[in-house]
């Protein structure tokens, strides 16, 4: 049966025509935007927009910028907002409405809709509150992001790594290792309590307005901050905070905390920051104590933020954790933290459990996607033995899943015989009352389901992936 759903290319063309149709004739006389393409989150190497700071809204609704924003939103996909419109349905919905929306943006009268509240559990048992905007607001926020990034990002600190072009968590981890090797053996590990929920709007907007002089854009950003969230059909106000879930939230966090970065640099302190997570490094415990007090004073008095004393501490760099990694010794050996290894095993168990009602092939496909992503992130781990041991555990887990999936003794005997196991071993194993995990470690099961057999069915090797990602180290 043929689907009537438009292809991604058709959707892209439909939006392109939509944006092209609403360009007014007098735009031809305006200054043309350079044709360089932007990166996924706006390339920081774009030409300076300093001369356009009073008419940034025209740059935001420019056809080229909107098309690039749509490419990013379309690629990121995501769930629908409160209006229920999906990314696939959005082009058709937008076509007749874009001229009016564009004019509202230029006039400074556009009002964003509330975001849909989504709670996700955190490792400590609490919940992280996300806000999922409508696709329209995600598109507009992405367009704003692409204009703000080349204005603000070049002046951000070199020691800030979160949500910036050509920077990543891996860069932060490597910088920490370099700092430890330079002799910084103590650090301040400070946690900001519900940072994204407690940002003061006036403090944030005052810092945005230092470089953005277009009052329409400042007003629009303020409206996004105060748009509220939809909880069970009821709109709740958002008098503070910058809700996570929209494209604008990360750069607004970096704009606010850039003052903090500059303060640390002015004091000559070594630090690494990724969004609201940061470590400040010193050489002695006494210096760490002094820095802890002064840093807390700055964050609470100047930026009006709240420090979580239960999670903040002064500690040695030996064993300190950051972004899922742990550092050991004077050389700052990079390791995956123990809790993330356990989290990996729990997730693999969830994916492969039998009562999910999906086939083994579907489970192995989902498992391969998770394993590849997990290894790509934790590829900076310097111990090959970790991935070797996880491979052994995962293979045994999958063998146990197959054994449990076969269920009946006669099915187990038939499957083992087909895999080349001797008749006496197939019968003794098939009729055994031992648990699946115990049986998965037996010689007959391992011979019947060797590594090559598991690989043919889609099970990936973490050790092989870790070797492939060696250039990242």
């Amino acid at each position: 049966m043929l689907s009537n759903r438009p292809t991604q290319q058709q959707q892209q063309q439909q939006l392109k025509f939509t944006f092209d149709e609403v360009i007014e004739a007098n735009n031809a006389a305006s200054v043309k935007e350079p044709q360089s393409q932007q990166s996924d989150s706006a390339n920081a190497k774009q030409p300076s927009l300093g001369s356009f700071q009073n008419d940034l809204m025209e740059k935001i609704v420019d056809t080229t910028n909107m098309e690039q924003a749509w490419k990013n939103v379309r690629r990121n996909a995501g769930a629908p907002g409160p209006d229920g419109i999906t990314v696939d349905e959005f082009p058709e919905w937008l076509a007749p409405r874009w001229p009016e929306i564009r004019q509202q943006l230029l006039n400074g009268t556009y009002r964003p809709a509330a975001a849909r509240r989504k709670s996700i559990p955190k490792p400590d048992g609490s919940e992280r509150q996300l806000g999922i905007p409508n696709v329209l607001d995600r598109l507009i926020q992405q367009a704003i992001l692409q204009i703000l990034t080349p204005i603000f990002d070049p002046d951000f600190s070199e020691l800030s790594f979160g949500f910036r072009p050509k920077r990543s968590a891996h860069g932060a981890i490597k910088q920490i290792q370099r700092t430890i090797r330079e002799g910084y053996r103590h650090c301040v590990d400070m946690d900001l309590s519900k940072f994204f929920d407690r940002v003061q709007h006036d403090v944030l907007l005052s810092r945005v307005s230092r470089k953005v002089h277009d009052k329409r854009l400042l007003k629009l950003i303020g409206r996004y901050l105060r748009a509220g969230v939809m909880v069970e059909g009821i709109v709740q106000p958002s008098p503070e905070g910058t809700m996570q879930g929209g494209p604008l939230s990360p750069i607004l966090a970096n704009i606010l905390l850039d003052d903090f970065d500059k303060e640390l640099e002015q004091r000559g302190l070594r630090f690494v920051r990724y969004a609201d997570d940061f470590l400040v490094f010193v050489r002695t415990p006494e210096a760490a104590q002094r820095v802890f007090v002064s840093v807390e004073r700055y964050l609470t008095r100047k930026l009006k933020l709240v420090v979580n004393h239960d999670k903040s501490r002064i500690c040695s760099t030996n064993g300190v954790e950051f972004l899922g990694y742990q550092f050991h010794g004077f050389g700052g050996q990079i390791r995956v933290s123990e809790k993330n290894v356990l989290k990996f095993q729990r997730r693999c168990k969830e994916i492969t459990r039998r009562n999910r009602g999906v086939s083994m092939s579907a489970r192995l496909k989902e498992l391969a996607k998770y394993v590849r992503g997990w290894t790509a992130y934790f590829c900076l781990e310097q111990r090959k033995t970790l991935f070797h041991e996880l491979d052994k555990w995962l293979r045994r887990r999958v063998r146990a899943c197959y054994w449990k999936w076969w269920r009946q003794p006669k099915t187990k005997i038939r499957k083992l015989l087909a895999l080349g196991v001797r008749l006496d071993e197939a019968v003794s194993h098939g009729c055994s009352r031992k648990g699946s995990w115990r049986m998965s470690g037996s010689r007959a099961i391992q011979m019947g389901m060797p590594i090559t057999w598991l690989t043919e069915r889609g099970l990936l090797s973490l050790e092989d992936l870790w070797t492939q990602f060696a250039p990242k180290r």
Side-chain angles (χ1 to χ4, degrees):
M1 181 176 179
L2 296 177
S3 173
N4 293 325
R5 177 178 291 180
T7 65
Q8 181 174 346
Q9 183 178 5
Q10 289 172 334
Q11 291 175 344
Q12 192 66 51
Q13 287 296 321
Q14 184 175 356
L15 265 192
K16 184 177 187 301
F17 295 147
T18 299
F19 294 137
D20 285 342
E21 289 169 358
V22 299
I23 300 299
E24 300 173 347
N26 60 5
N27 282 350
S30 64
V31 179
K32 294 183 179 180
E33 181 182 9
Q35 295 300 312
S36 59
Q37 290 295 320
Q38 296 183 0
S39 67
D40 293 351
S41 61
N43 195 324
K45 290 186 177 181
Q46 284 187 317
S48 172
L49 296 175
S51 59
F52 297 104
Q53 288 181 12
N54 289 318
D55 59 354
L56 290 179
M57 194 60 73
E58 280 74 16
K59 307 293 293 182
I60 290 170
V61 300
D62 179 80
T63 305
T64 303
N65 189 56
M66 294 301 298
E67 288 173 0
Q68 183 63 38
W70 169 244
K71 288 179 182 178
N72 289 321
V73 171
R74 180 69 181 84
R75 184 182 62 254
N76 293 334
D83 63 5
I85 298 174
T86 66
V87 172
D88 291 333
E89 300 166 344
F90 180 70
E92 183 179 355
W93 178 90
L94 180 67
R97 297 173 175 84
W98 174 242
E100 181 181 356
I101 294 171
R102 180 180 185 274
Q103 195 57 50
Q104 289 176 356
L105 290 169
L106 291 173
N107 293 341
T109 58
Y110 176 79
R111 293 191 173 276
R116 178 167 63 87
R117 169 67 58 83
K118 173 68 175 179
S119 300
I120 58 175
K122 297 173 67 174
D124 60 2
S126 61
E127 291 186 336
R128 176 178 287 110
Q129 304 296 338
L130 301 181
I132 304 177
N134 292 330
V135 180
L136 172 62
D137 287 318
R138 295 210 292 268
L139 175 66
I140 296 173
Q141 286 191 36
Q142 180 65 36
I144 296 172
L145 171 66
Q146 292 169 180
I147 297 302
L148 292 186
T149 297
I151 295 175
F152 285 95
D153 191 83
D155 294 328
F156 284 159
S157 170
E158 290 296 314
L159 298 176
S160 169
F161 294 88
F163 307 106
R164 297 181 59 191
K166 299 182 179 181
R167 289 175 175 268
S168 66
H170 286 175
I173 299 303
K174 292 177 182 178
Q175 179 61 41
I176 291 175
Q177 185 181 56
R178 287 192 292 268
T179 303
I180 293 174
R181 289 177 174 177
E182 290 173 6
Y184 293 85
R185 304 281 186 256
H186 301 272
C187 65
V188 173
D189 182 4
M190 190 170 287
D191 180 81
L192 297 177
S193 178
K194 298 182 178 179
F195 168 76
F196 286 93
D197 297 333
R198 290 177 169 170
V199 170
Q200 300 299 307
H201 295 168
D202 57 340
V203 177
L204 172 59
L205 289 173
S206 68
R207 283 152 176 79
V208 176
S209 64
R210 292 173 183 173
K211 293 188 176 182
V212 174
H213 302 148
D214 190 324
K215 294 183 178 179
R216 296 167 299 175
L217 179 54
L218 290 171
K219 185 183 297 184
L220 180 59
I221 294 174
R223 285 173 176 168
Y224 271 118
L225 293 173
R226 297 185 297 272
V229 290
M230 184 79 71
V231 182
E232 297 181 354
I234 300 176
V235 177
Q236 296 183 356
S238 52
E240 61 181 6
T242 168
M243 184 65 69
Q244 295 183 80
L248 263 184
S249 180
I251 193 171
L252 293 179
N254 278 333
I255 291 173
L256 176 65
L257 291 175
D258 185 57
D259 275 9
F260 175 61
D261 297 342
K262 297 297 192 294
E263 178 69 17
L264 295 179
E265 289 176 342
Q266 186 176 357
R267 298 182 188 182
L269 293 171
R270 302 295 297 272
F271 70 96
V272 169
R273 183 175 67 81
Y274 189 96
D276 60 322
D277 295 318
F278 64 91
L279 296 174
V280 184
F281 298 90
V282 293
R283 296 183 183 273
T284 65
E286 293 77 15
Q289 185 65 47
R290 292 194 301 270
V291 169
F292 186 98
V293 174
S294 63
V295 165
E296 180 183 14
R297 184 187 303 118
Y298 182 87
L299 291 170
T300 55
R301 295 184 181 181
K302 294 289 185 179
L303 300 184
K304 310 299 182 184
L305 299 173
V306 179
V307 173
N308 186 339
H309 288 277
D310 293 334
K311 295 183 179 180
S312 300
R313 59 178 183 147
I314 296 170
C315 60
S316 167
T317 55
N318 184 32
V320 70
E321 294 185 21
F322 193 73
L323 302 180
Y325 282 95
Q326 200 170 47
F327 302 87
H328 290 268
F330 290 165
Q333 185 185 40
I334 300 173
R335 299 180 184 176
V336 181
S337 67
E338 183 62 28
K339 66 181 180 182
N340 276 284
V341 174
L342 296 175
K343 183 178 179 182
F344 170 81
Q345 293 177 319
R346 284 197 301 269
R347 179 58 183 150
C348 289
K349 289 180 180 179
E350 291 174 2
I351 294 173
T352 56
R353 71 178 187 269
R354 190 184 67 179
N355 60 2
R356 294 184 60 206
V358 296
S359 66
M360 275 301 299
S361 60
R363 280 182 269 180
L364 287 175
K365 185 176 181 179
E366 184 179 352
L367 182 64
K369 182 178 179 181
Y370 176 70
V371 166
R372 185 178 287 109
W374 191 88
T375 310
Y377 180 77
F378 287 109
C379 65
L380 297 184
E381 161 71 57
Q382 296 173 312
R383 299 169 300 166
K384 186 178 182 179
T385 54
L386 171 66
F387 297 93
H388 179 73
E389 292 300 319
L390 286 176
D391 268 336
K392 290 169 60 177
W393 174 86
L394 191 56
R395 286 195 293 266
R396 185 171 179 179
R397 171 68 187 175
V398 173
R399 289 185 183 115
C401 289
Y402 272 108
W403 190 251
K404 189 176 289 187
W405 187 38
W406 293 340
R407 301 185 66 178
Q408 300 299 327
K410 62 180 181 180
T411 303
K412 294 176 180 178
I413 295 172
R414 178 168 51 83
K415 293 286 188 179
L416 288 175
L417 290 173
L419 291 171
V421 178
R422 294 200 326 260
L423 177 61
D424 59 332
E425 289 186 325
V427 173
S428 64
H429 282 67
C431 296
S432 175
R433 303 185 59 156
K434 294 177 181 177
S436 58
W437 181 255
R438 176 87 174 269
M439 294 301 296
S440 65
S442 66
R443 188 181 70 88
I445 301 297
Q446 292 183 11
M447 291 181 64
M449 290 183 276
I451 297 176
T452 54
W453 186 86
L454 295 173
T455 302
E456 289 171 357
R457 275 144 188 81
L459 181 63
L460 298 181
S461 167
L462 283 86
E463 187 175 343
D464 291 345
L465 289 171
W466 179 81
T467 303
Q468 294 174 18
F469 291 128
K472 290 189 176 183
R473 292 192 287 277

